[in-house]
């Protein structure tokens, strides 16, 4: 059933695309023909070329001053940074998983010590010893829980840093693509 909805949605989009493309082919008035034909010729080149009448996404003067090799170096540096952050994130996640397992065992141990403490006669020396043991286990569990929380915050920050670095890399790659396309267009003139 889920698959049939996917195909239905795909069919709707294909149909809408077909209808839209059919509307694009309506012949304009005689005054508009030359400009429309020029944009059609420009857009039929390669699939990655864009309409030359678009506003550039970057400041043209700034783009003309950019060296593509510098962009490549920045992209490579960010790629190295992403790999380092991902490696660090994996290491911290493994530590987080280990601490979480330890925390589970501590909680089980606390439950057992609490049952032992409650099973001892009230006011007896055995109850006092069991209570001290229970409180020490509880304190140890809280310390480990704090470490677990700090590790969670660290992992969250690492994930955010990785996402930001990947976004920055993507922006630089798009900018590099635009710079190269702009230089190619300038060389063709």
């Amino acid at each position: 059933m889920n698959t049939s909805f996917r195909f239905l949605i795909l069919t709707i989009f294909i149909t809408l695309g077909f209808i839209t493309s059919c509307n694009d082919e309506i012949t304009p008035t005689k005054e508009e023909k030359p400009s429309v034909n020029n944009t059609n010729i420009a857009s039929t080149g390669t699939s990655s070329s864009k309409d030359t009448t678009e506003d550039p996404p970057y400041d043209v003067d700034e783009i003309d001053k950019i060296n593509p090799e510098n962009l490549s170096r920045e992209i490579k540096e960010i790629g190295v940074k992403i790999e380092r952050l991902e490696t660090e994130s994996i290491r911290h996640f493994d530590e987080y998983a280990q601490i979480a397992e330890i925390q589970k065992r501590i909680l089980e141990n606390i439950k057992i010590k609490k049952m032992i403490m409650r099973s001892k006669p009230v006011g007896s020396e055995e109850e006092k010893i069991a209570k001290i043991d229970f409180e020490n286990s509880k304190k140890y569990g809280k310390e480990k829980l704090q470490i677990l929380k700090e590790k969670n915050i660290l992992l969250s920050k690492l994930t955010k840093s990785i996402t930001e670095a990947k976004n920055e890399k993507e922006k630089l790659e798009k900018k590099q693509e635009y710079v190269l396309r702009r230089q190619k267009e300038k060389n063709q003139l």
Side-chain angles (χ1 to χ4, degrees), residues 70-147:
N70 290 342
L71 280 175
S72 293
R73 189 182 74 252
E74 285 182 50
I75 291 169
K76 187 175 181 180
E77 288 172 358
I78 289 178
V80 169
K81 178 182 176 181
I82 290 169
E83 287 179 22
R84 181 182 52 80
L85 287 171
E86 286 177 339
T87 302
E88 189 176 342
S89 178
I90 290 169
R91 181 176 57 85
H92 284 290
F93 184 78
D94 289 344
E95 290 174 4
Y96 178 85
Q98 290 173 354
I99 294 170
E101 285 300 316
I102 291 170
Q103 187 67 19
K104 286 180 187 176
R105 289 195 298 262
I106 290 171
L107 289 175
E108 288 298 318
N109 192 19
I110 289 173
K111 286 179 186 177
I112 292 169
K113 290 188 181 206
K114 187 175 186 179
M115 289 186 331
I116 291 172
M117 180 185 71
R118 289 184 175 173
S119 69
K120 302 297 180 187
V122 178
S124 69
E125 190 64 33
E126 295 170 335
E127 183 199 28
K128 290 178 185 177
I129 293 171
K131 188 172 186 174
I132 291 171
D133 195 25
F134 169 72
E135 293 296 329
N136 287 339
S137 295
K138 206 163 90 171
K139 183 179 176 184
Y140 181 69
K142 285 182 181 179
E143 290 171 1
K144 287 295 181 183
L145 183 61
Q146 185 60 35
I147 293 170

Side-chain angles (χ1 to χ4, degrees), residues 45-83:
T46 61
S47 61
S48 64
S49 67
K50 295 195 176 185
D51 190 357
T52 54
T53 60
E54 279 186 6
D55 291 332
Y58 306 102
D59 181 19
V60 176
D61 293 333
E62 177 189 322
I63 290 297
D64 289 340
K65 295 176 186 176
I66 293 177
N67 184 351
E69 293 172 2
N70 290 342
L71 280 175
S72 293
R73 189 182 74 252
E74 285 182 50
I75 291 169
K76 187 175 181 180
E77 288 172 358
I78 289 178
V80 169
K81 178 182 176 181
I82 290 169
E83 287 179 22

Side-chain angles (χ1 to χ4, degrees), residues 21-49:
S21 67
C22 288
N23 286 341
D24 288 344
E25 294 175 4
I26 296 175
T27 7
T29 62
K30 288 183 180 180
E31 297 169 349
E32 295 175 341
K33 268 190 180 179
S35 64
V36 172
N37 286 338
N38 288 340
T39 56
N40 284 339
I41 291 170
S43 64
T44 57
T46 61
S47 61
S48 64
S49 67

